[in-house]
Amino acid sequence: MTWAVAEPGDAAVRKYFAAETAALTNQPIVTATSIDQWKAKRGEYQEQLKEMLGLQPWPEKTDLQTTVTGTLEKDGVTVEKIHFQSRPGLYVTGNLYRPTKAEGRLPAILYVCGHGKVVEDGVSLGNKTHYQHHGAWFARHGFVCLTIDTLQLGEIQGLHHGTHHLGMWWWVNRGYSPIGVETWNCVRALDLLQARDDVDPERIGVTGRSGGGAYSWYIAALDDRIKAAVPVAGITDLQNHIVDDCINGHCDCMFWTNTPRYDFSFLPAMVAPRPLMIANTDSDPIFPLDGVTRTFFAAREIYSLYDAKANLGLAIVDGGHADTQPLRVPAFHWLCRHLKGESPLIDDPATPMFTKKELKVFGELPADQINTEIQETFVPVAPGAEVPASEIAWKSQAAELKETLLAKSFAGWPNRKSKPQLTQVVADKIGDATITTFDLQTQPGVVLPVILIDNGGQNATLQLADQTDWTALETLTTAAADGKSPNSDAAQTLLKSPGKTYFLVQRGVGSTQWDQDKKKETHIRRRFLQLGQTVHGMRVWDTRRAIQAIESQSPGTPLTIAADGVDAGVAIYATIFEPSVAKVTATHLPADHRNGPILLNVRRFMNMPEAVALAAQNAQIEVDADGAAAVAYAQTVGKQLKWPAKQVTVNK
């Protein structure tokens, strides 16, 4: 699905994405100046990768409960139908291929599957059955090969598409992506292989294609037990994903939570100096050749620092996105060479040996499985914060939360210290009210309308405007330009706003609104995620800049922020970082981030009640009855610390 320019904001947001992508190109590789510097940072990078996958803190390695439900034997190949639990109740089904007759410990391959759905008579047989020819080839050539099902397409079918089309944006608040589950299942699969008597634990490789290619990247980057890797059609760079629209064709299982804002070339760089071959076709629409080759050359910079360029290979064959024999041959040869020390002539094809139904592991699915709901528990959420015992304890707790927010939720904010300016565009009057339109540049390439309705007085209010407000504001400003009174009730209501009311027309609203087609709007939001941002997180930034601009224009004027629903949450978070705000009037404030706003990782360390308490340090917080649960913690903190009774109030 290509993204045509349909709304005025489409061209602007496209330009924004291009600029942000350019700034992140080949990060953090471009910062490496020596092998010593890279090695010194690699441990930190590995910890960051764990966190990006939802694997920080590192999970406990519980008993795998490995079970073989049956075996098959044919033409010198034995298949064990196997399942294990990577966590209690998180089942991984697979087929383990091995030579029927072999002596000693053999090199092993972890084969991870792509999106090859196999369902017969309404029953999922697992995508391992679709890719069985790979495991059979390895077994015929002296390897043990464990082929494992993926979360969504296994015999127990979980989810890969939370933000893709299921509207589960709360995954973002958790820092959850199914790629974390897939990578963890790979980690435990390596544990299983290393524990076997027929496997040489120092000669384990990984390969897979499409989604399996992606998982090959992540496990090879994360786990040094992988000694050789051949990801096939499983990665390209941010340029392809964000600017060239490839993200539209990928489900969530391809992507990390990009908190540190890295390009995907980070993954092959983390495999260095171990043997790595990147395999792809020249006409793959979802892993385009230009991005694949850019990724290869970026990774080669790190391999060169290790003096290990010979360990990085690139195999390009003709074709589209398909599992073809020409793609398999380089992978087979690479793994034979680096795990067996052989350079054989590959003269036999990889072909299926069994019916798909024969390879099914479960006769009946286990009742205690958590695969179908793993998104609810895989990444731990923070418990409710304790009430601080003293002012000193609260200040320490608050400072830590603010620091964590900046590092884990708002790292995508611009690094700008200049004061924003409201640039007047036009001013008109209707009766005694002056209506002034300003432009506010919140960061390069982002210019938002701010409309001031001035009915006199000293009080100032910043209203976060949604699309409904924008419609009324357009009617009002058009009428003012014509010297007429607006003909809509909504515009008349705005005209009567008390004092000075500034309406910030938020990013993605009004003149910056992008295409609201559900699919297109979804993929725009997903682009923000891969840039280490969210729409709501950047709206918090924009609100901060508006607050700063108003303060600069009217120093010392008490400022109230008014907002509704998720926007009220945006106002709360902006207030945390802007102590000049005197008051926040929030209606329908969500009590839990599951209902918004969507901010990277936020539920891993706090929730909306803690945010309200942080904001209440600076400003009075006033909510309606719907927001009572959101402010209960702040009220308790206020009582403990003897804040004024009006600091946090609920209007019923």
Side-chain angles (χ1 to χ4, degrees), residues 76-329:
V77 173
T78 297
V79 180
E80 298 177 14
K81 299 190 290 184
I82 197 168
H83 67 77
F84 62 91
Q85 297 176 50
S86 63
R87 290 186 182 183
L90 180 56
Y91 285 86
V92 183
T93 42
N95 295 143
L96 187 138
Y97 297 79
R98 57 180 173 83
T100 301
K101 295 181 180 180
E103 294 182 1
R105 291 180 177 270
L106 304 177
I109 301 295
L110 174 61
Y111 190 90
V112 280
C113 298
H115 293 83
K117 184 177 182 179
V118 180
V119 176
E120 293 183 6
D121 300 324
V123 176
S124 176
L125 305 182
N127 46 355
K128 65 184 176 303
T129 65
H130 179 83
Y131 289 99
Q132 61 168 293
H133 45 290
H134 293 269
W137 190 94
F138 282 115
R140 293 202 309 271
H141 292 83
F143 291 85
V144 173
C145 179
L146 175 59
T147 302
I148 59 173
D149 281 328
T150 57
L151 177 67
Q152 176 156 302
L153 298 175
E155 294 186 27
I156 307 170
Q157 298 179 76
L159 295 177
H160 274 178
H161 291 85
T163 71
H164 182 274
H165 64 262
L166 297 177
M168 294 181 175
W169 293 103
W170 56 269
W171 284 16
V172 178
N173 295 331
R174 295 278 187 93
Y176 171 78
S177 169
I179 185 61
V181 178
E182 302 297 358
T183 305
W184 179 247
N185 288 350
C186 288
V187 169
R188 301 313 314 276
L190 295 180
D191 293 340
L192 185 155
L193 286 170
Q194 283 198 316
R196 288 181 64 96
D197 293 337
D198 55 355
V199 169
D200 182 345
E202 297 302 318
R203 291 191 292 161
I204 299 178
V206 67
T207 188
R209 66 166 302 276
S210 190
Y215 316 145
S216 299
W217 282 112
Y218 285 101
I219 186 59
L222 185 67
D223 199 318
D224 292 343
R225 290 178 295 176
I226 296 295
K227 302 305 181 184
V230 186
V232 181
I235 198 174
T236 188
D237 60 4
L238 276 176
Q239 169 74 25
N240 274 167
H241 281 301
I242 305 300
V243 179
D244 302 330
D245 300 337
C246 289
I247 195 171
N248 299 358
H250 291 291
C251 63
D252 297 348
C253 72
M254 302 296 296
F255 301 118
W256 50 27
T257 299
N258 198 6
T259 309
R261 311 189 77 208
Y262 290 159
D263 203 343
F264 289 103
S265 53
F266 172 66
L267 290 170
M270 288 295 290
V271 181
R274 290 165 289 154
L276 168 67
M277 172 175 278
I278 302 172
N280 218 84
T281 56
D282 61 357
S283 300
D284 191 325
I286 57 176
F287 299 107
L289 181 60
D290 61 344
V292 172
T293 54
R294 285 193 297 265
T295 300
F296 167 79
F297 284 113
R300 196 159 72 166
E301 295 296 319
I302 302 302
Y303 273 84
S304 295
L305 291 179
Y306 277 105
D307 195 22
K309 287 173 65 175
N311 280 353
L312 180 65
L314 178 64
I316 302 295
V317 303
D318 69 301
H321 188 69
D323 180 16
T324 64
Q325 182 71 1
L327 265 180
R328 297 172 204 150
V329 170

